[in-house]
Amino acid sequence: FSSDAIFSGISLKDSLNGRDTRLFSSPEEDSSLYFTYSGGQNKLEVVNLHYEVDTAAQIPWYEKLSEFKMPWEMQSGRQTAIRNLNLRVHSGQMLAVIGSSGCGKTSLLDIITCRDEGGTMTSGQVLINGKPSTPTLVRKSIAHVRQDDRLLPHLTVRETLAFVAKLRLPTHFSQAQRDQRVDDVIAELRLRQCAHTRVGNEYVRGVSGGERRRVSIAVQLLWNPGILILDEPTSGLDSFTAHNLVITLSRLAQGNRLVLLSVHQPRSDIFQIFDLVVLLSSGSAVYCGPAREMVPYFTALGHPCPRYCNPSDFYGDSVDNWWLLLLYVVPF
Ligand SMILES: Nc1ncnc2c1ncn2[C@@H]1O[C@H](COP(=O)(O)OP(=O)(O)OP(=O)(O)O)[C@@H](O)[C@H]1O
Ligand SMILES: [Mg+2]
């Protein structure tokens, strides 16, 4: 043992005895809910969804001309992006759509929020509180946080939120109420320590990547939506920051919101936080149900998760090879 190892062992022990707990907690840890959703219960349903994309349609006509083919000779590249998908989620729950790259996570979130482009919904429907999803209904009830952050880099975090509060909150809100809402959101997303820091982007140095993701969520949370949809909110973050972010989202779900997010392959402690999981493979839901029942479900089918192995990694990798499992899709 080196003296360093012994020294760090002692300091860790002392820390655990309570001398320096800051080592194991984020600077602004707080489990209270500042900002709960006071509207009614929300329910989101996807029924028998079948979605096809035409990959050939993306190629512009002038490029097709260069192939010297007659229009009837040009092949269409139809590909099924989502196959017969069913899911149901309501307020207070956090549902994670997981699966390997290209399995259809973004397509699913885009269809739900009426932002799908270049594809056709051949059958099925998306219901928000029992009503078919339309762009107007989506704008009123769903906050969609996209994978890329679209923020003004030269504003500070507080200025960004104050600006959005001016534009997005109803006109009957007084200035004091708007300021209060900004304060609540900053507290909820633990952004107090960087509230006066510039947001920045890849050219302008500003807040950290994780903080910027939280600012993007804060911008949407400001108008207090009942349904929050996030496309890969943890991508590009280190695992500790990703874990903290998912805990924040879980708290938002506990505050009577419906949270739906896509994640590539979450680490095991993140996976445990989810209430419901949809595991996609080439557009089909291979598992669709409570997160804690996913491992027993696959184990019962004769595919136990090896010890010390992350279930989302193991099943995410293997599921593409188990085409037989597609027969066992569980609707919930
Ligand atoms: N508009 C489109 N035109 C052509 N192909 C599309 C279109 N939309 C989706 N696809 C195809 O559908 C499949 C699913 O795409 P999608 O973006 O949903 O995957 P993903 O699960 O989000 O992947 P990633 O984890 O890499 O973001 C891919 O094979 C993609 O190429
Ligand atoms: Mg995607």
Side-chain angles (χ1 to χ4, degrees):
F1 288 94
S2 71
S3 57
D4 279 347
I6 294 166
F7 176 72
S8 61
I10 292 167
S11 66
L12 277 176
K13 199 173 157 207
D14 289 349
S15 303
L16 288 171
N17 285 339
R19 283 197 198 172
D20 189 2
T21 49
R22 279 172 304 162
L23 267 176
F24 298 100
S25 59
S26 62
E28 209 183 323
E29 202 156 323
D30 193 341
S31 59
S32 60
L33 278 168
Y34 293 94
F35 191 46
T36 52
Y37 176 67
S38 48
Q41 284 277 320
N42 286 297
K43 193 167 75 170
L44 183 70
E45 280 173 281
V46 175
V47 188
N48 293 329
L49 181 69
H50 201 92
Y51 183 72
E52 283 185 1
V53 290
D54 187 357
T55 43
Q58 312 291 316
I59 305 166
W61 62 270
Y62 47 86
E63 281 187 24
K64 285 184 190 168
L65 276 185
S66 65
E67 293 174 9
F68 297 111
K69 279 185 182 166
M70 301 309 282
W72 55 87
E73 289 176 327
M74 290 174 189
Q75 289 172 353
S76 77
R78 295 196 83 76
Q79 180 193 333
T80 305
I82 294 183
R83 192 178 284 112
N84 197 25
L85 186 87
N86 289 284
L87 62 87
R88 195 182 323 125
V89 56
H90 57 76
S91 293
Q93 290 181 319
M94 177 160 63
L95 181 142
V97 182
I98 61 173
S100 55
S101 183
C103 68
K105 302 183 293 293
T106 301
S107 303
L108 174 62
L109 302 191
D110 286 350
I111 295 165
I112 293 175
T113 51
C114 297
R115 283 191 173 157
D116 56 304
E117 283 162 19
T120 324
M121 216 166 106
T122 49
S123 70
Q125 53 181 345
V126 176
L127 301 172
I128 302 168
N129 297 327
K131 292 188 195 131
S133 155
T134 58
T136 321
L137 186 59
V138 166
R139 216 172 307 123
K140 264 201 291 188
S141 49
I142 298 185
H144 186 190
V145 183
R146 294 181 149 231
Q147 196 165 353
D148 47 336
D149 300 306
R150 294 174 189 184
L151 300 164
L152 295 170
H154 295 284
L155 297 186
T156 66
V157 171
R158 181 174 281 281
E159 283 165 354
T160 303
L161 296 175
F163 181 58
V164 178
K166 272 197 176 10
L167 294 178
R168 192 72 212 253
L169 292 179
T171 43
H172 63 79
F173 268 61
S174 66
Q175 190 53 44
Q177 283 173 313
R178 281 169 212 265
D179 292 344
Q180 183 60 48
R181 180 63 68 86
V182 170
D183 286 341
D184 287 348
V185 170
I186 286 178
E188 182 65 58
L189 289 164
R190 297 187 290 114
L191 287 166
R192 277 196 198 125
Q193 56 164 0
C194 60
H196 299 291
T197 311
R198 206 166 48 176
V199 169
N201 59 12
E202 60 266 43
Y203 306 111
V204 185
R205 185 70 182 100
V207 295
S208 75
E211 286 164 347
R212 198 172 301 134
R213 292 303 290 138
R214 278 186 272 149
V215 176
S216 293
I217 299 170
V219 163
Q220 293 296 332
L221 197 61
L222 208 58
W223 60 277
N224 204 5
I227 305 177
L228 201 56
I229 293 186
L230 309 102
D231 193 7
E232 305 215 16
T234 57
S235 290
L237 304 184
D238 66 88
S239 50
F240 177 71
T241 317
H243 185 239
N244 277 345
L245 183 68
V246 177
I247 288 179
T248 306
L249 294 175
S250 161
R251 285 173 50 200
L252 292 178
Q254 286 161 23
N256 199 29
R257 288 191 187 83
L258 187 163
V259 178
L260 173 59
L261 73 157
S262 71
V263 201
H264 211 241
Q265 274 176 331
R267 71 178 205 191
S268 51
D269 53 357
I270 292 182
F271 182 81
Q272 285 164 9
I273 304 171
F274 301 140
D275 299 307
L276 301 167
V277 162
V278 174
L279 175 58
L280 286 182
S281 169
S282 309
S284 298
V286 180
Y287 178 80
C288 198
R292 63 181 178 283
E293 285 171 23
M294 190 175 96
V295 176
Y297 167 75
F298 284 122
T299 307
L301 289 175
H303 299 282
C305 179
R307 225 171 157 199
Y308 308 124
C309 197
N310 176 6
S312 53
D313 277 343
F314 178 69
Y315 292 116
D317 291 346
S318 346
V319 102
D320 292 330
N321 307 324
W322 301 344
W323 62 271
L324 259 180
L325 271 176
L326 298 179
L327 301 174
Y328 294 91
V329 175
V330 242
F332 61 90

